[in-house]
Amino acid sequence: MGRKVFICSLAVMFCVIAVMVAVEAKAAYPDKTIEFVVHSPAGGGSDLFSRAIGSILEKEGIVKQKIQVVNRDGGSGTTSLNYMFDKAGDAHVVMQFTTGPLSALLRGSSKLKMEDITFLTLMCMDPNLAFTRVESPYNDMKSVIEYAKKNPDKVSVAIGTVAGSEHISAHRVAKASGTQLNMVGFGGGGAASVAILGGHVDLGFGNVNEQMGQIEAKTIKPLGVMSPQRIPAMPNVLTMKEQGINAVYVQPRGFWAPKNFPDYALKFWEDAFFKLSKTKAYQDLLKTSYAVDSFMKHEETKTFVNDYIKVLKVDVDELGVYKKK
Amino acid sequence: MDIFNSLMQGFATVLTPFNIWMAVIGCFFGTIVGILPGLGPSATIAMLIPLTFGMNATPAMIMMCAIYYGAMYGGSTTSILLNVPGESASVATTIDGYQMARQGRGGAALGISAIGSFVAGILGTIGLMLICVPLAKFALKFGPAEFFSLIVMGLLTIVYVGGKSISKSLMSGVIGMALGTIGIDVIQGAPRFVYDLPELMDGVSFITVVMGIFGIGEVLVSAEERMKITPIHVKFKDLWPTVAEVWQSKWAILRGTAIGFFMGALPGAGATISSFVAYAVEKGVAKNPERFGKGAIEGVAAPESANNACTSGAMVHLLALGIPGSGATAVMLGALMLYGLKPGPMMFHTNPDFVWALIASMFVGNVILIVMNLPMIPFFAMGLRIPYRYLYPGILLICIIGAYSLSSSIYDVWVMLIFGVIGYFMKKFDIPGAPMGIALILGPMLEYNLYRALALSRGDLTVFFTRPISATLLAIAAIMTILFSSKTIRVKRKMLEEVEE
């Protein structure tokens, strides 16, 4: 008899402890190292952004756990999406998204689909611009387009990756102005820049952050910005719209989480990223990288990305990449 | 004189205990990363970047550069001792380095590679100081047409790095080129030979192929042939290169340095190609080229000097143009932007203190590396005394960890093992692996630059001959071909005559 009572009380005690542990786990989320997944190899723009943000979150004490950046590069973003698919329900995995993973989603080659994603926040937008080397006769996009209209396919554009941000930008400009541009793929921003600096190609598109050093050194000159508004860092450069070309392109950066991400975790990260966006360190990071603060919470981000992808899909289809046989 | 003053100013900044400490840490991590195959300098630098947040840009950059150099120094260790290239730039080193190790001269090979790296590092940095800006301007003249011609020249080195049979070398080269076509092509974004496998979209990774063909393949062949033989007996006096050997390699080191420095300044050409070209040049100018491939010390000195000089060349590109010339400098560029510095042509004017401190730190880093590396050589070389039954599982383990560390996926391990089996059969049929490596790297570059050049010229093939730099490079390639074939024909004729007699 005594033994039975003992076993019962032991069982009750275990249950209580288990519940307490569970409650505590919820209260103290996150309770282990957070994975920040990045789709690009270590050292790319997205990777460095994630590492910088991770370090600010830790230093400011917003996230009490360690944040580890995990590079799941490969398959033009597909590998990272598959990784997120496998991590469904894991409350300690967060991934940065930008145009790259979004186009990988569009391509449909990953196991992860749009409905499997828990959107957390949108952080900022990277503005893009069109530029040429200083020796070039053009001073604005308008004159380039005028020339291109008379000489179809004569103006060459250096493109980084196929269907990447430069390609989409160039395509939108060509489409809006009704011109034909000779777009040549260089496989990466570095090689494309060299070809433009060396005068081998007429025109380039790119991230303001990456081109600022060259602009300040007066080796290249901006022809027009792709954002809807002018960029504070270069108030004299007109937008494409102001030059009569109805083309806009921005590159969003934000965070998402896998499917079945717990609500408490979603709430935690919304708050964490909101607090982050108010820190001086983060604002400085935006300033040095010329990104525009565009903080959005979960619901807004979802709507934004849905709209963004719809527009992107049109371009990608027109460019004819990713076509299924 | 101005340069001298600025440099002294730079040394004043660098020679503080903290900055020296950063350089030591960087050299140490870099060497380890270089020794372990797989994980390259770019990934290491990126992972250590968060450590440097909160520091000034100067110590952070000193550490990153030190990692870069350290990796280039360390890369030769496994290539020489185990026939496993630590990173792509040391593939050329395996050809003669591993043969030297087999003959018990592993210490000499490691020593000459450290000395060559040191000389190349110092001379490269001096070159960087003196002709950085004009060299960068010249590099900009290279458009797609020029790159195409340069790569044609580079591909010709296949006949030099292969073994005795030219047809087998070419065969290996063609396989490499075919492998290079796998993946999403850069021009149209079309998947080629991908079979809907996301892993294949980025193509076959050079380093996994090479680790398989060289490392695993060698283990398989040796396991079959040499398991019963006693390990190489390394004599203590052979743990260092002799003065005569170092002197014998002096021109190889200098030529390697020059080749590496200039090719490093061309974006994308990089350390790997320059190491192969340096090897081919040495074999081409040698009085008795038949020594190459059988443990010629110049065959180690030249590529190792070239890949180290290349790091200085890549820095020319980064500092003078603000455009990364290699993977590792691309990471550094990103890091510099995080510190709020704007890399680009203006750096010399806006942040001269930083630039000169960096240049001074390269001298310091090279000294630290040689001081750190030379005493370790005997220990590494002694490693070959380990009996094969322990050594080979160890090599397999290192290769597997290395392949896994590339992108923390088991896929790369499988690719490496498959190529290990292919490497085994290639060895059996005496097909050299190095031509395959060159073609795998250069094949896609050749294709894309051909496409770009023709897209820009609207399909006009004459661009390759009307542009002076391109025409010169093609002429050199033609002369190389004629010289090599006439030499081969002469040798063959002589052999025939001897047989007839």
Side-chain angles (χ1 to χ4, degrees), chain A residues 42 48 51 55 59 72 74-75 153 156 162 182 184-187 193 197-198 200 209 214 216-217 219 285 290 321, chain B residues 46 49 53 140-143 186-189 198 201-202 321 323 334 337-338 342 345-346 408 452 455-456 458 467:
Chain A
L48 293 171
R51 284 175 201 274
S55 117
K59 274 201 186 123
R72 294 282 154 180
D153 225 16
S156 53
V162 176
N182 181 13
V184 184
F186 276 82
S193 296
L197 283 180
H200 307 289
N209 185 19
Q214 304 291 344
E216 287 183 352
T219 52
L285 175 72
Y290 301 97
V321 265
Chain B
I49 283 176
F53 285 144
L140 279 182
K141 292 210 165 76
F142 274 70
V186 171
I187 306 294
Q188 307 278 341
M201 281 184 188
D202 295 328
L321 296 178
I323 295 167
M337 292 201 281
L338 282 183
K342 285 184 210 74
M346 288 306 276
S408 8
R452 279 169 206 146
L456 290 174
R458 312 307 312 161
R467 299 177 61 117

Side-chain angles (χ1 to χ4, degrees), chain A residues 1-12:
Chain A
M1 198 56 191
R3 221 173 120 194
K4 234 179 211 167
V5 171
F6 177 69
I7 289 176
C8 277
S9 55
L10 211 65
V12 169

Side-chain angles (χ1 to χ4, degrees), chain B residues 201-224:
Chain B
M201 281 184 188
D202 295 328
V204 183
S205 135
F206 173 80
I207 193 74
T208 34
V209 169
V210 159
M211 267 159 53
I213 296 275
F214 285 83
I216 308 280
E218 179 68 26
V219 168
L220 292 177
V221 171
S222 314
E224 186 180 73

Side-chain angles (χ1 to χ4, degrees), chain A residues 4 31 33 41 43 50 77 111 118 165 168-169 213 232 236 279 321 324:
Chain A
K4 234 179 211 167
D31 52 345
T33 304
S50 275
K111 290 186 269 176
T118 313
S165 51
I168 303 275
S169 300
N236 298 327
T279 58
V321 265
K324 279 264 161 193

